[in-house]
Amino acid sequence: MKRKMRVSLKVKILGLVILLIAFIIGSLSLMFIYMKYRDDIVKVEELSLQTAKTLSYTPSLHDYYKTNSNHEELGVLINQITTQIEPITVFIQNRDGSIFASTDGNKLYGKLKIEDTNKALTFGSYYVIRTTESNKEVLKAIAPISIDYGNYNKVEGAVVVLYDLSTLDKEIWNDVKKILKVSILILIMGVIGSYMLASSIRKDTLNLEPYEIAAMFRERNAILQSVKEGILAIDEQGAITMMNASARYLLDVEEHSEGKLVSNVFKSEELLSILKNSEKQMNVEIQSNEKTMIINTQPIIEGDRNIGIVASFRDRTEVKHMVDALSEVKQYSDDLRAQSHEFTNKLYAILGLLQLDKKEQAIEYIKSETHIYTIEEDLIFTKINDERVQAILLGKIAQASEKKIDFAIESESSLAHIPQEITLSSLIIILGNLINNAFEAVKDTQEKKVSFFVTDIGNEIIFEVSDSGPGINKDIEHQLFQRGLSSKGKNRGYGLFNVKIEVESLNGIIEYSSEASKGTVFTVYLPKVS
């Protein structure tokens, strides 16, 4: 129902402007009519009273009363005066109320109310009243005719000047018509301007209506607040314009930080340098508030100008857990595949010997293989008591057997139990990558030997992996633990980087020594108590 009642932006603006202009025009017109009418009434009153006074002092009028002469000359005089001051009607009234001269041809403009002239006839007052004559609203100016008889003055009659107010209304209405013509022109210009304004606003809002923009804004906020990845938006002045809940949590920022400068919100110089960089950045890893985060930034470009930046934050701990889980699965998968492949080959070899009726050789082969595994297993299960390390080593033994690599566990090795703080995922990353690198280093050599040593004597657990490979290339030795650095091709070089990150997260140390044509030894020291 609400959707059907929605009104477009153009209609809203046009309606508002039309109503506003109509209201302004109506208000101004009413104010103009009121003020003009009031001023005109005052002018008419003054004009009528002044005319009545002037006529009351006319000498010919006074001579008429003194000598009772012909009043025709008086009528001519009155007509001459009143024709110059239209539209008024003049009556000269005796004390008894009879009219002996007027400008309406003695037609007696209705029947003048004699009581209206009582004040003038009795007290000699000059005044103006508003009354009705012959069903017309008029202004009536009354002036007494005071005759000087020498020894005394006597009021013989009154001059009555009538002004028809309907003519005043006509004059005002003619002025209003002029105002309305201008008002209509203004209204048309306002409608055209409103239409152009609404079209411009629609263009700026990608032809979307305000309620559509509001809906998109609500959806955008809901999406941003629901995603687990932290998102931060900054304008060109360096002020925060948007920050979702995940970003607040990851960056440890209090509520209501929008509108503040990033330099006032964050104290990490490394983070500030990334947020102030106008170039796009991908997978930048930083340490902030005791959290390791991966940051991606995307500048907001308008034309050739950078007007802001959007940054996303991921907690590396979660990414690490996911990578560790994948590494663990991959490690088990590789170990199972190696064991399956190795035992399949050996079963085929035994089957071949049996088919050739060489039972004794088959029995000897089985005994020798059993003896090898028995020695290795005895060493693992007697010297190394941690089940997690045992599982990793058993898998690597099978993998080495498949690759025809001599993988030996040093007989001096000894390990009780590793603290629970050192997880299986951490061990897979550290030991798995070091042993795999050793296997990779000896795969093209004649003497394919890899050895593993572990001891927990003292306050540290020490792992040592050595190989008989060609050694580390001197050109890359100083960058050995950098991300993506490898001499083995593209999409390689993450193993040692991950090992170093994992060892440092456990407050440990990794060292290595390498000699050309003699091999490499990697040693890891992990404290028993972190």
Side-chain angles (χ1 to χ4, degrees), residues 7 30 63 65 74 79 104 115-116 142 145 164 238 241 273 298 365 370-371 428 437 441 448 466 527:
V7 182
L30 290 174
D63 291 342
Y65 279 104
L74 180 62
N79 283 331
D104 69 339
E115 61 268 16
D116 291 341
I142 301 172
I145 303 172
D164 190 353
T241 58
S273 65
Q298 175 65 51
Y365 179 72
T370 304
H371 179 68
I428 289 175
N437 284 351
K448 300 180 180 180
S466 59

Side-chain angles (χ1 to χ4, degrees), residues 204-234:
D204 292 339
T205 58
L206 302 178
N207 210 34
L208 294 172
E209 293 292 345
Y211 62 85
E212 294 175 321
I213 297 173
M216 292 177 63
F217 181 77
R218 287 191 293 268
E219 291 171 1
R220 167 248 195 197
N221 278 346
I223 292 170
L224 290 176
Q225 297 301 330
S226 64
V227 296
K228 201 170 185 181
E229 191 172 24
I231 299 176
L232 171 69
I234 303 169

Side-chain angles (χ1 to χ4, degrees), residues 49-66:
L49 187 59
Q50 188 63 39
T51 302
K53 286 182 178 180
T54 302
L55 290 174
S56 68
Y57 291 124
T58 303
S60 56
L61 179 61
H62 284 234
D63 291 342
Y64 167 77
Y65 279 104
K66 287 179 180 180

Side-chain angles (χ1 to χ4, degrees), residues 176-196:
V176 170
K177 285 181 179 179
K178 296 177 183 178
I179 295 174
L180 289 177
K181 290 178 181 178
V182 177
S183 301
I184 291 171
L185 179 61
I186 294 173
L187 182 61
I188 294 172
M189 293 175 62
V191 170
I192 295 172
S194 302
Y195 183 84
M196 295 174 64

Side-chain angles (χ1 to χ4, degrees), residues 235-251:
D235 63 16
E236 58 184 329
Q237 281 78 36
I240 298 172
T241 58
M242 190 280 300
M243 179 185 293
N244 69 350
S246 297
R248 296 184 198 280
Y249 169 74
L250 290 173
L251 299 173

Side-chain angles (χ1 to χ4, degrees), residues 208-472:
L208 294 172
E209 293 292 345
Y211 62 85
E212 294 175 321
I213 297 173
M216 292 177 63
F217 181 77
R218 287 191 293 268
E219 291 171 1
R220 167 248 195 197
N221 278 346
I223 292 170
L224 290 176
Q225 297 301 330
S226 64
V227 296
K228 201 170 185 181
E229 191 172 24
I231 299 176
L232 171 69
I234 303 169
D235 63 16
E236 58 184 329
Q237 281 78 36
I240 298 172
T241 58
M242 190 280 300
M243 179 185 293
N244 69 350
S246 297
R248 296 184 198 280
Y249 169 74
L250 290 173
L251 299 173
D252 195 20
V253 177
E254 60 184 12
E255 293 285 343
H256 309 300
S257 57
E258 285 79 0
K260 298 180 181 178
L261 295 175
V262 290
S263 56
N264 296 333
V265 176
F266 306 120
K267 303 303 180 185
S268 172
E269 294 295 333
E270 187 179 9
L271 177 60
L272 290 174
S273 65
I274 293 173
L275 296 178
K276 291 179 181 179
N277 194 329
S278 59
E279 296 181 356
K280 181 178 180 179
Q281 300 180 76
M282 298 293 291
N283 297 325
V284 180
E285 191 171 306
I286 69 164
Q287 193 79 19
S288 178
N289 295 327
E290 298 182 355
K291 296 187 183 78
T292 302
M293 290 178 291
I294 298 173
I295 302 178
N296 293 308
T297 63
Q298 175 65 51
I300 304 171
I301 306 297
E302 183 178 305
D304 297 330
R305 191 163 60 96
N306 187 338
I307 61 171
I309 191 171
V310 175
S312 63
F313 302 83
R314 285 175 294 164
D315 190 348
R316 187 187 175 277
T317 306
E318 296 183 2
V319 178
K320 175 179 172 294
H321 288 329
M322 181 176 65
V323 171
D324 290 350
L326 291 174
S327 299
E328 188 175 341
V329 171
K330 185 177 181 299
Q331 184 70 52
Y332 284 132
S333 176
D334 290 343
D335 291 345
L336 289 173
R337 183 188 58 79
Q339 287 180 343
S340 175
H341 190 268
E342 179 191 6
F343 284 115
T344 300
N345 290 337
K346 291 178 179 179
L347 286 174
Y348 279 124
I350 294 171
L351 179 61
L353 291 173
L354 292 175
Q355 287 176 340
L356 294 173
D357 201 21
K358 296 182 178 181
K359 296 181 181 180
E360 293 181 1
Q361 293 182 11
I363 293 171
E364 289 297 327
Y365 179 72
I366 292 171
K367 287 182 178 181
S368 64
E369 289 297 325
T370 304
H371 179 68
I372 292 171
Y373 277 103
T374 301
I375 293 174
E376 296 293 346
E377 289 175 1
D378 287 344
L379 185 59
I380 290 174
F381 291 120
T382 56
K383 297 294 186 72
I384 300 172
N385 296 323
D386 190 272
E387 295 178 351
R388 294 170 291 177
V389 178
Q390 290 173 353
I392 293 172
L393 293 177
L394 287 173
K396 293 304 175 185
I397 290 172
Q399 190 176 350
S401 177
E402 179 190 16
K403 295 181 178 181
K404 306 303 179 185
I405 295 173
D406 182 8
F407 179 52
I409 299 172
E410 299 290 342
S411 59
E412 292 83 6
S413 297
S414 63
L415 177 64
H417 292 284
I418 295 178
Q420 292 301 319
E421 290 79 7
I422 304 176
T423 63
L424 176 59
S425 297
S426 298
L427 291 172
I428 289 175
I429 291 174
I430 297 171
L431 300 182
N433 279 298
L434 291 179
I435 295 173
N436 286 342
N437 284 351
F439 288 170
E440 190 78 23
V442 301
K443 70 176 183 177
D444 296 325
T445 61
Q446 291 184 351
E447 188 179 7
K448 300 180 180 180
K449 288 187 177 182
V450 175
S451 63
F452 173 82
F453 172 77
V454 61
T455 181
D456 60 351
I457 298 174
N459 296 325
E460 295 177 319
I461 300 169
I462 302 172
F463 296 104
E464 186 177 276
V465 179
S466 59
D467 64 68
S468 59
I472 299 173

